[in-house]
């Protein structure tokens, strides 16, 4: 991509050009062969192209982890930050520049463990950010430690006799937070479903939380193996207001009608009963959006100076 003045936010030289998938591809991904992150990246690039998002107006923020290498692999703006801190950074970007398209990419450790406080409060703040939680049930980058979403019994370096506790349920947890406004689940082995889920998330007004079940052939190769081999293990949530992925609906034939405005039904469907459910659990477009609630009126330099002086006068002796 040619850089232009618009990279500095001072012009729109590229307004009339169109973007192809190559325009969004960054460095060569260094994930393991067969890692689900590869396919998720391609679906994200498809979304960027389908929505024609100018790279210079798009930001991917991440924490630390295999999944958090995402910003390197996209030719948009990016911030590869601190473990667990993708969301507060993304909120900062969105508050300062509400005109930008802001995405946060996290692993399950990043989001549900060290970043759990930020996750809960971001759901409540409801900023206009799309959050992708790539859930492989383990800490991948640091080579196999138990994560909050590791299933009970999963052996790892930190719990070699198997995880002691039941796994956390990120969908039910998100649904339980005040102001939850978009909660969806998809899987890396159904690319059309990821694409349609991300598209719905992108068009949502407010915070869109998307959990993507992600294969990690290195450490949790059996986690979704049955679901990948046998589509009858998977259940699709379908509804006219839900996510439509016609190609996936043809081979995943277990369909459950679910109205995504029904929070109580969403909770029931989110319960861990051994079924893998993909689709839109909940959407509410009427929740106040954080950057709008917190918007301050534009002020001239003189007004800012006057307000600053008034503030300093409070401390004058
Ligand atoms: C404050 C802090 N604590 C711990 C680490 C070490 N660390 C780096 S990545 C990671 C976990 C990564 O797991 P996850 O977020 O699930 O992502 P994955 O690698 O599986 O994609 C940990 C514990 C760190 N970088 N910073
Ligand atoms: S360790 Fe797992 S999550 Fe990390 S790159 Fe390899 S396969 Fe992917």
């Amino acid at each position: 991509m040619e850089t232009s003045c618009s990279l500095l936010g001072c012009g729109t030289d590229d307004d009339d050009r169109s973007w192809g998938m190559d325009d969004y591809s960054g460095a060569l991904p260094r994930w393991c062969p067969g890692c689900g992150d590869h396919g998720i990246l391609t679906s994200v690039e498809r979304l960027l192209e389908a929505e024609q998002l100018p790279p210079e107006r798009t930001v991917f923020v991440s924490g630390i982890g295999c999944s958090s290498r995402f910003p390197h692999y996209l030719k948009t703006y990016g911030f590869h930050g601190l473990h667990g801190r993708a969301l507060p950074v993304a909120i900062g970007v969105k508050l300062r520049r509400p005109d930008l398209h802001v995405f946060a990419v996290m692993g399950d450790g990043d989001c549900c463990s060290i970043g759990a406080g930020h996750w809960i409060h971001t759901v409540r703040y409801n900023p206009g950010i799309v959050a992708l939680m790539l859930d492989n049930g383990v800490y991948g980058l640091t080579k196999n430690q138990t994560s909050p979403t590791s299933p009970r019994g999963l052996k790892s370096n930190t719990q070699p006799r198997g995880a002691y506790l039941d796994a956390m349920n990120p969908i039910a947890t998100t649904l339980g937070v005040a102001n939850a406004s978009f909660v969806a689940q998809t899987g890396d082995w159904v690319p059309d479903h990821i694409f349609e889920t991300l598209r719905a998330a992108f068009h949502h007004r407010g915070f869109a939380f998307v959990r993507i079940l992600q294969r990690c052939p290195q450490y949790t190769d059996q986690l979704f193996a049955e679901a990948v081999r046998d589509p009858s293990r998977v259940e699709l949530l379908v509804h006219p207001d839900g996510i439509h992925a016609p190609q996936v609906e043809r081979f995943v034939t277990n369909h459950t009608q679910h109205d995504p405005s029904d929070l109580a039904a969403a909770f029931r469907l989110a319960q861990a009963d051994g079924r893998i459910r993909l689709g839109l659990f909940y959407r509410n477009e009427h929740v106040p959006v954080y950057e709008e609630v917190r918007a301050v009126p534009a002020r001239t330099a003189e007004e800012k100076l006057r307000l600053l002086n008034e503030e300093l006068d409070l401390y004058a002796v």
Side-chain angles (χ1 to χ4, degrees), residues 189-190 225-236 248 250-254 276:
W189 62 96
V190 278
E226 281 189 6
V228 175
R229 237 187 337 259
D230 178 5
S232 72
R233 303 265 173 177
V234 178
E235 191 176 306
L236 286 184
V248 179
R250 273 201 289 278
F251 70 87
V252 179
T253 50
N254 289 334
I276 291 192

Side-chain angles (χ1 to χ4, degrees), residues 21-37:
M21 274 179 70
D22 286 349
D23 292 313
Y24 301 107
S25 297
L28 195 65
R30 289 166 60 188
W31 292 308
C32 305
C35 174
D37 291 352

Side-chain angles (χ1 to χ4, degrees), residues 299-308:
R299 294 196 169 98
T300 62
E302 290 73 23
E303 284 170 328
K304 285 183 194 165
L305 189 62
R306 179 179 54 76
L307 288 168
L308 181 63

Side-chain angles (χ1 to χ4, degrees), residues 31-32 35 66 136 140 214 216-219:
W31 292 308
C32 305
C35 174
C66 298
N136 56 8
Q214 179 236 315
C216 169
Q218 198 68 22
Y219 300 120

Side-chain angles (χ1 to χ4, degrees), residues 37 64-67 83 107-110 114 136 138-142 214:
D37 291 352
I64 298 288
C66 298
S67 39
H83 193 32
D108 40 292
D110 213 35
I114 191 170
N136 56 8
V138 74
Y139 292 0
L141 187 77
T142 42
Q214 179 236 315

